[in-house]
Amino acid sequence: MYACKFFPESKTADHIQVALDQILDDAGLDAENTPCVTDKGSNMVAATKSKCHVTCACHRLSTSINTAWDASCAQNEELKELDDCSNSLVKFVKKSGGIQYNLPATLKAGGKTRPWRGLINKFCSISKSYEALKPLLREKRREDLVAAIEKSLLEEVLHILEKAEEIFDILEYSFVPSLQFVLPAFYKLRNFWSELSSADTAAGRVLKRNLVMALDSKMWEDISALHVAASYLDPSLKGFSFVKDTGEQRNLSEQAADIVKENAMLAAKIHVYPTKELEDSDVEVLENDEQETEVAVERTNKRAKYDPLAEFRNTATDSEPRKKSSNLTAEVNEELRRYSSITGVNLKQAHAVRNIFDPLLWWGEQRYSFPVLSCLARQLLVIPASSAESERHFSGAGRIARKDRNRLKDDAVESSVVYYEAVRKGII
């Protein structure tokens, strides 16, 4: 993290734009070409209209789920009753004393915007505490609140929505690149929600249908060429095996190669890409960076237990040896030809972290074989898929700038937040 500024002005587009420009200017970054990952609030969209704006994938997924749920409740009486009864139960428990701390899981009220998993958390907390609630509510003569919730329907809805839980996890990653996950995450959810089984109830079918429609209308519209290129530049995902239709898979692959080729030419003209003639001091710096990365990984959140996209990854061979070309166009074409011929990667050799493959580390190892593509990959894959990390910084700042510490100056709060993050990530 570079900055966490106090923002006393009203959050209008003009004020946000001025603050962003100042931060980027202080960091020596190009105000127009530096990617800005935000939600789709009208003020944020207007403030970043002259910049490279990337929509937060978590916000769009959350919007898709909430849109689908609202539509489903309007179309199906059982889902509407489940929603109303769940809200009544949570509201009563929160207002009553002596219930929450006796439950296996604290009941969550859910929310339309924050947290992103609000709807999932609400149903999950009720499911975990369902049996424990009965005697506690019986004492207060309100056992009817939990009895009104149909347990089988609750579990079905939770099973449908829980698939999004693991997707939120990978889109929120900060210890490995995450932009490449957006496209396969969309297809994984769409494939899952498109499959109807004989076990699905009428209510479940309504919910699945609306989830697919919401994904197509809310999330797909914000998947851009950046996301396509990022997936292509992850060697374990570049085959687009997450796309079931072979024709669509081939079109996406060709589109990605064209996008990467066009941007690789630009990146190579602007930046000096690595060669074997790097000085020894540069090599030492690279090795030190890798060691710092390993330390930082140890200090990151260990929430992820497995890789939800493992089924789509290609694991196999190494690349062909590099053939030096005399001009830039030929070099890019040659690198793309050799990269496209790679049928898979050795995940262990690429330093898989908690079963999550890190393409930046892979490109670091391949920087001499693919000097131009590795240059582009480093620029693209540092863009996060969501604003989750920023949200965590805001929460951290809120814990520091409490009411009982209201005499802290703005720069003291910022310094404390930045220092805390540096320590947490193993930078210092």
Side-chain angles (χ1 to χ4, degrees):
M1 182 178 63
Y2 175 76
C4 184
K5 299 290 186 182
F6 177 64
F7 201 85
E9 296 88 358
S10 58
K11 295 179 177 61
T12 63
D14 291 339
H15 289 156
I16 293 173
Q17 183 176 1
V18 170
L20 281 176
D21 288 345
Q22 183 62 55
I23 291 173
L24 293 174
D25 183 63
D26 291 344
L29 298 173
D30 186 344
E32 291 186 3
N33 295 318
T34 300
C36 296
V37 182
T38 76
D39 59 28
K40 288 196 74 173
S42 57
N43 57 343
M44 296 304 300
V45 173
T48 57
K49 64 182 180 181
S50 62
K51 299 175 173 55
C52 177
H53 181 264
V54 180
T55 303
C56 170
C58 284
H59 277 94
R60 297 316 289 162
L61 177 54
S62 178
T63 298
S64 301
I65 292 173
N66 287 317
T67 299
W69 180 251
D70 290 343
S72 299
C73 288
Q75 297 168 14
N76 185 276
E77 190 61 36
E78 291 180 277
L79 293 176
K80 178 67 167 62
E81 184 177 356
L82 175 64
D83 191 49
D84 291 341
C85 293
S86 298
N87 291 336
S88 298
L89 172 63
V90 174
K91 183 178 180 181
F92 178 81
V93 170
K94 281 184 170 292
K95 286 186 175 181
S96 302
I99 296 182
Q100 283 278 38
Y101 65 85
N102 286 316
L103 297 176
T106 301
L107 296 195
K108 305 291 195 304
K112 292 298 181 183
T113 55
R114 293 177 185 170
W116 293 323
R117 313 159 192 249
L119 196 62
I120 301 171
N121 288 342
K122 179 175 70 174
F123 291 134
C124 186
S125 63
I126 293 175
S127 176
K128 290 180 179 179
S129 301
Y130 190 85
E131 295 300 328
L133 279 165
K134 292 180 179 179
L136 294 172
L137 291 174
R138 189 180 300 120
E139 294 177 3
K140 298 182 179 294
R141 299 181 180 180
R142 290 309 310 270
E143 191 178 3
D144 58 296
L145 288 172
V146 69
I149 296 176
E150 186 180 340
K151 184 68 181 300
S152 60
L153 180 59
L154 173 67
E155 295 300 331
E156 182 182 11
V157 168
L158 192 56
H159 172 69
I160 293 172
L161 295 179
E162 273 184 333
K163 187 62 66 174
E165 180 82 358
E166 58 195 48
I167 297 302
F168 276 120
D169 283 345
I170 63 173
L171 294 179
E172 292 176 2
Y173 284 159
S174 61
F175 61 91
V176 293
S178 56
L179 190 69
Q180 75 277 12
F181 294 144
V182 176
L183 190 62
F186 168 83
Y187 278 100
K188 175 160 186 169
L189 286 176
R190 198 183 191 285
N191 293 341
F192 176 74
W193 288 333
S194 296
E195 294 177 356
L196 301 179
S197 70
S198 57
D200 292 334
T201 64
R205 289 171 179 263
V206 168
L207 179 56
K208 283 185 173 181
R209 183 175 65 248
N210 283 313
L211 283 167
V212 171
M213 292 172 60
L215 275 181
D216 290 343
S217 63
K218 300 295 181 181
M219 192 172 181
W220 179 254
E221 67 177 11
D222 288 300
I223 293 180
S224 67
L226 286 176
H227 299 101
V228 177
S231 293
Y232 183 74
L233 287 173
D234 183 329
S236 69
L237 296 172
K238 72 180 182 66
F240 297 101
S241 60
F242 46 82
V243 182
K244 286 187 173 181
D245 183 88
T246 55
E248 185 179 0
Q249 187 182 108
R250 183 170 55 254
N251 290 337
L252 264 178
S253 184
E254 292 174 354
Q255 178 188 355
D258 290 340
I259 295 170
V260 168
K261 180 178 180 179
E262 179 182 349
N263 287 278
M265 295 286 291
L266 179 61
K269 290 177 181 177
I270 297 175
H271 297 82
V272 177
Y273 48 86
T275 65
K276 269 294 185 183
E277 287 71 32
L278 275 174
E279 295 181 1
D280 292 340
S281 59
D282 294 329
V283 175
E284 291 175 4
V285 170
L286 289 169
E287 291 175 347
N288 290 335
D289 287 344
E290 290 175 359
Q291 292 173 0
E292 290 178 2
T293 300
E294 293 175 0
V295 173
V297 164
E298 293 176 359
R299 303 189 183 192
T300 53
N301 191 327
K302 297 185 178 180
R303 184 191 317 172
K305 296 181 179 179
Y306 71 103
D307 179 6
L309 299 179
E311 63 193 280
F312 303 134
R313 297 196 188 276
N314 303 316
T315 60
T317 60
D318 297 324
S319 61
E320 298 177 24
R322 177 192 174 196
K323 298 178 181 179
K324 291 189 177 181
S325 302
S326 58
N327 61 74
L328 183 57
T329 302
E331 173 73 26
V332 172
N333 289 334
E334 170 62 16
E335 287 189 24
L336 278 172
R337 184 194 68 78
R338 288 186 294 106
Y339 181 64
S340 64
S341 69
I342 298 176
T343 56
V345 292
N346 187 324
L347 299 186
K348 291 184 179 180
Q349 185 181 13
H351 309 297
V353 177
R354 297 195 194 97
N355 295 322
I356 300 296
F357 175 71
D358 188 340
L360 276 180
L361 291 177
W362 186 88
W363 281 109
E365 294 175 350
Q366 301 292 327
R367 60 187 178 275
Y368 302 125
S369 299
F370 302 97
V372 181
L373 290 186
S374 65
C375 180
L376 175 63
R378 289 197 304 273
Q379 295 174 52
L380 187 60
L381 293 173
V382 295
I383 304 172
S386 74
S387 57
E389 188 70 0
S390 297
E391 301 283 354
R392 285 191 280 266
H393 296 329
F394 298 153
S395 299
R399 288 191 292 271
I400 292 173
R402 303 190 305 266
K403 290 182 179 179
D404 59 342
R405 306 178 73 185
N406 58 11
R407 297 186 68 182
L408 280 174
K409 294 183 178 180
D410 302 346
D411 56 352
V413 174
E414 180 181 12
S415 298
S416 298
V417 175
V418 173
Y419 180 78
Y420 168 76
E421 277 303 308
V423 172
R424 190 173 74 90
K425 292 293 180 64
I427 299 173
I428 57 176

